[in-house]
């Protein structure tokens, strides 16, 4: 009985060892084509808010620029079409003459279309929805709301090493918190499994 287990174990180890070169050949490090449809990424950049509600801007000036960041995952349905879901923080809109601020955070869902210029460089466009939590904080600052805003963006990605890509992106968020629009400019990194 022990001999059968030892023989079976030896055969399993040997077959696993023999299959490793086959698996290694399936993924070429210099290729920009990932081996699975899954990827993850993170972005960091700046945001600029426009069309802030007159109820706010009539009372005080605002700091229109802030830092934005996002983490996300994606699934490629086709080489040119992906679905993405992530968490995005659009930063804060600080009030200058009144103690208070607004923040926007939430889930970001999008459909991404990609066009490969060559093996290393892609351009992309995406449209989606932002399920946000718009929070008002400070004395006399109104109002907090949870809602959905439309999004659209364009960018480019450079595959710099094996499964890694660096991207530059512009993304627009329409009517977050009622009237403000956010323009974001991000740099990011993606990892393809």
């Amino acid at each position: 009985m022990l001999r059968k287990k030892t023989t079976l174990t030896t055969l399993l180890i040997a077959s696993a060892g023999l299959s490793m070169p086959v698996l290694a050949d399936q993924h070429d490090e210099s290729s920009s084509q990932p081996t699975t449809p899954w990827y993850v990424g993170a972005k960091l950049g700046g945001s600029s808010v426009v069309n802030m509600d007159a109820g706010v801007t009539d009372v005080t000036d605002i700091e229109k620029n802030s830092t934005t960041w996002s983490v996300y995952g994606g699934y490629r349905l086709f080489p040119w079409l992906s679905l993405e879901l992530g968490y995005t923080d659009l930063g804060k809109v600080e009030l200058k003459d009144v103690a208070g601020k607004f923040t926007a955070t939430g889930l970001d869902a999008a459909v991404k279309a990609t066009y490969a210029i060559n093996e290393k460089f892609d351009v992309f466009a995406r449209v989606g929805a932002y399920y946000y939590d718009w929070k008002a904080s400070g004395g006399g600052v109104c109002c907090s709301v949870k809602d959905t805003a439309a999004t659209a963006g364009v960018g480019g990605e450079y595959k710099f090493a094996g499964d890694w890509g660096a991207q530059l992106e512009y993304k627009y968020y329409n009517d977050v918190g009622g009237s403000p629009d956010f323009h974001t400019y991000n740099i990011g990194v993606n990892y393809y499994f």
Side-chain angles (χ1 to χ4, degrees), residues 43 45-49 63-70 87-93 102-106 108 130-134 149-151 171-177 180-186:
K43 303 185 273 196
S47 66
S48 179
V49 65
E63 178 56 52
K64 295 182 178 185
N65 300 314
S66 187
T67 301
T68 182
W69 63 271
S70 180
Y87 176 84
T88 299
D89 183 333
L90 290 177
K92 58 187 171 185
V93 179
F102 295 97
T103 59
T105 59
D108 216 337
Y130 182 52
Y131 307 97
Y132 64 83
D133 187 5
W134 175 256
T151 67
K171 194 166 182 181
Y172 173 72
Y173 293 80
N174 184 53
D175 289 341
V176 176
D181 298 331
F182 283 82
H183 298 271
T184 65
Y185 311 90
N186 299 290

Side-chain angles (χ1 to χ4, degrees), residues 110-187:
V111 175
K112 177 182 172 185
T114 303
Y115 178 75
I117 302 293
N118 57 40
E119 276 287 312
K120 294 283 188 179
F121 187 70
D122 298 337
V123 291
F124 61 85
R126 72 176 93 223
V127 294
Y130 182 52
Y131 307 97
Y132 64 83
D133 187 5
W134 175 256
K135 291 184 182 173
S137 59
V141 180
C142 179
C143 292
S144 296
V145 65
K146 293 182 181 188
D147 205 349
T148 304
T151 67
V154 294
E157 180 176 11
Y158 177 73
K159 312 278 189 322
F160 62 89
D163 297 325
W164 292 92
Q167 74 174 22
L168 184 61
E169 177 189 33
Y170 162 78
K171 194 166 182 181
Y172 173 72
Y173 293 80
N174 184 53
D175 289 341
V176 176
S179 64
D181 298 331
F182 283 82
H183 298 271
T184 65
Y185 311 90
N186 299 290
I187 58 171

Side-chain angles (χ1 to χ4, degrees), residues 5-28:
K5 285 184 180 181
T6 304
T7 304
L8 183 59
T9 303
T10 304
L11 287 173
L12 287 173
I13 291 171
S15 66
L18 292 173
S19 66
M20 287 302 174
V22 173
L23 292 174
D25 287 343
Q26 289 179 355
H27 181 64
D28 177 11

